[in-house]
Amino acid sequence: MKANIVLLPGDGIGPEVIRAAQKVMDAVSSKFDHQFTYSEHDIGGCSIDAHGTALTDEALVACQKSDAIMLGAVGGPKWDDPTAKVRPEQGLLALRKGLGTFANLRPVKPHPDLLDASPLRPERLGGVDFVVVRELTGGIYFGEPRERRQLESGVQAVDTMSYTDAEIRRVAHLAFKLARARRSKVTSVDKANVLESSRLWRQTVSEVAKEYPDVKLEHILVDAAAMFLIQRPASFDVILTSNMFGDILTDEASVLTGSMGNLPSASLGDGGPGLYEPIHGSAPDIAGQGIANPIGTLLSMALMLRYSLQLEKESQAVERAVEKTLSSGHRTKDLANSGETALNTKDMTALIVERI
Ligand code: IPM
Ligand code: MG
């Protein structure tokens, strides 16, 4: 098949992991006889430097016209001034909104050989296999008003957490459908004991659940969820939650896999191209050293093959290549125990390409 893929390398280690993804995509296209064409655009800090905005209209339109988008990461200390008018993260939020990708899927399934790389005791990690469905285009990251106000008593800053029932319903349907193809359990996470938007969330999710009588639904509060993710992570199947709670809980959940560098994500809407990115961010501390773990990005690419290009066999080939490379004992620096040799991004990628 032919597919037109937009690459948005972005900032920090973004370009390093996107190069790795391109190598593996090339291996997939030659092995399975596909034609992937790439076009590349700036996003985040590099776009601010080059164009004065974190996402140009041209880049957004190219993404909207594509079959799928692979993104590296945005942000870094250079653009971190809290008083700055333009911020790298605005580019990512505008892209998600502009593509209508309201559901962000973040699967968490530790590789059996990496259990000792996690800070949790290995016996806690047996059977861990869940996916977080994070609402991605609403909630407090988008609510209005968002502003600073000069009061007589000082400065006040305001963000708004808001959800409509329609926004909750569409992402809930996606979570229940996903659960049906898995172990048929949805855990909805909110803060309904305090927040009005969470009470609407809980009520709406319960209504949607009636259409899926075969799926078990439980509600838990986000503070308890943070604890249960460590205490009994194997009890989860699909975790459905709002934008900010999902952002926070998935960083926490990622360390169950040994490293944040392993975790992929897929952002999906109603038709239209999907957006695929590792969850790790730009990692300025190691940027430019060529030592980033490419696995989160490669597994995101596998999700792209599955969800946007409907290439299930190819997707599994990438997932298996990653699995086998880890089973053979190869590790990047974030995964290596002391004394183990750590591979750089290029060498790790080459070993994965060999196994495609
Ligand atoms: C993520 C990131 C982003 C988010 C940032 C960079 C805006 O943390 O994808 O989890 O908060 O969504
Ligand atoms: Mg995050």
Side-chain angles (χ1 to χ4, degrees), residues 6 8 41-48 51-64 69 71 74 86-99:
V6 171
L8 303 173
H41 293 270
D42 292 329
I43 189 169
C46 63
S47 178
I48 293 176
H51 318 285
T53 169
L55 181 71
T56 61
D57 292 342
E58 187 201 341
L60 177 58
V61 169
C63 290
Q64 286 165 333
I69 302 117
L71 183 137
V74 300
V86 279
R87 304 181 49 82
E89 294 76 9
Q90 291 166 343
L92 184 51
L93 296 183
L95 178 64
R96 291 167 175 171
K97 195 77 170 177
L99 292 169

Side-chain angles (χ1 to χ4, degrees), residues 131-152:
V131 49
V132 178
V133 178
R134 166 188 176 192
E135 199 291 326
L136 201 62
T137 53
I140 194 168
Y141 290 5
F142 291 92
E144 301 280 350
R146 48 170 61 246
E147 61 197 23
R148 287 194 186 199
R149 296 167 184 166
Q150 190 58 56
L151 307 180
E152 263 168 41

Side-chain angles (χ1 to χ4, degrees), residues 197-254:
S197 56
S198 277
R199 285 189 282 274
L200 180 64
W201 181 278
R202 192 173 280 219
Q203 194 185 339
T204 308
V205 171
S206 299
E207 275 164 28
V208 170
K210 291 185 192 138
E211 295 177 45
Y212 303 84
D214 49 317
V215 178
K216 183 177 166 359
L217 169 65
E218 69 177 4
H219 298 281
I220 57 180
L221 298 171
V222 62
D223 43 359
M227 179 174 65
F228 295 148
L229 271 177
I230 303 298
Q231 228 169 33
R232 49 171 179 83
S235 69
F236 297 111
D237 180 18
V238 174
I239 296 178
L240 165 64
T241 192
S242 61
N243 202 342
M244 181 166 69
F245 298 160
D247 186 21
I248 297 168
L249 293 177
T250 50
D251 270 29
E252 186 192 4
S254 72

Side-chain angles (χ1 to χ4, degrees), residues 74-346:
V74 300
K78 182 175 174 196
W79 307 279
D80 257 355
D81 177 357
T83 62
K85 283 268 176 303
V86 279
R87 304 181 49 82
E89 294 76 9
Q90 291 166 343
L92 184 51
L93 296 183
L95 178 64
R96 291 167 175 171
K97 195 77 170 177
L99 292 169
T101 50
F102 59 82
N104 181 226
L105 276 52
R106 299 186 164 186
V108 178
K109 188 178 177 184
H111 186 284
D113 293 340
L114 285 183
L115 299 190
D116 59 354
S118 164
L120 285 204
R121 287 203 303 271
E123 64 265 29
R124 294 262 154 113
L125 293 168
V128 171
D129 177 6
F130 61 86
V131 49
V132 178
V133 178
R134 166 188 176 192
E135 199 291 326
L136 201 62
T137 53
I140 194 168
Y141 290 5
F142 291 92
E144 301 280 350
R146 48 170 61 246
E147 61 197 23
R148 287 194 186 199
R149 296 167 184 166
Q150 190 58 56
L151 307 180
E152 263 168 41
S153 53
V155 188
Q156 181 188 42
V158 180
D159 293 287
T160 303
M161 187 178 293
S162 88
Y163 270 112
T164 64
D165 61 336
E167 284 174 316
I168 301 165
R169 203 167 289 124
R170 64 184 180 182
V171 71
H173 276 292
L174 194 139
F176 281 99
K177 287 192 181 120
L178 193 66
R180 265 191 178 154
R182 298 173 47 97
R183 300 193 309 280
S184 295
K185 181 177 168 193
V186 170
T187 303
S188 176
V189 173
D190 61 36
K191 187 69 186 171
N193 54 346
V194 177
L195 302 173
E196 198 53 46
S197 56
S198 277
R199 285 189 282 274
L200 180 64
W201 181 278
R202 192 173 280 219
Q203 194 185 339
T204 308
V205 171
S206 299
E207 275 164 28
V208 170
K210 291 185 192 138
E211 295 177 45
Y212 303 84
D214 49 317
V215 178
K216 183 177 166 359
L217 169 65
E218 69 177 4
H219 298 281
I220 57 180
L221 298 171
V222 62
D223 43 359
M227 179 174 65
F228 295 148
L229 271 177
I230 303 298
Q231 228 169 33
R232 49 171 179 83
S235 69
F236 297 111
D237 180 18
V238 174
I239 296 178
L240 165 64
T241 192
S242 61
N243 202 342
M244 181 166 69
F245 298 160
D247 186 21
I248 297 168
L249 293 177
T250 50
D251 270 29
E252 186 192 4
S254 72
V255 299
L256 303 173
T257 70
S259 166
M260 201 183 190
N262 289 328
L263 220 68
S265 88
S267 305
L268 308 173
D270 263 332
L275 169 64
Y276 300 86
E277 49 175 314
I279 82 145
H280 52 58
S282 60
D285 53 325
I286 58 161
Q289 298 179 32
I291 59 168
N293 178 355
I295 290 178
T297 310
L298 300 182
L299 294 178
S300 301
M301 204 260 284
L303 295 176
M304 175 189 85
L305 295 169
R306 172 170 301 129
Y307 292 124
S308 283
L309 308 184
Q310 277 75 46
L311 298 174
E312 178 60 30
K313 198 170 46 174
E314 290 80 346
S315 176
Q316 286 182 21
V318 174
E319 289 171 347
R320 267 202 306 271
V322 169
E323 258 167 52
K324 282 193 222 152
T325 307
L326 289 171
S327 303
S328 313
H330 303 299
R331 303 282 183 268
T332 43
K333 188 158 182 244
D334 53 320
L335 297 173
N337 289 318
S338 58
E340 273 179 342
T341 337
L343 296 176
N344 64 23
T345 313
K346 278 209 175 96

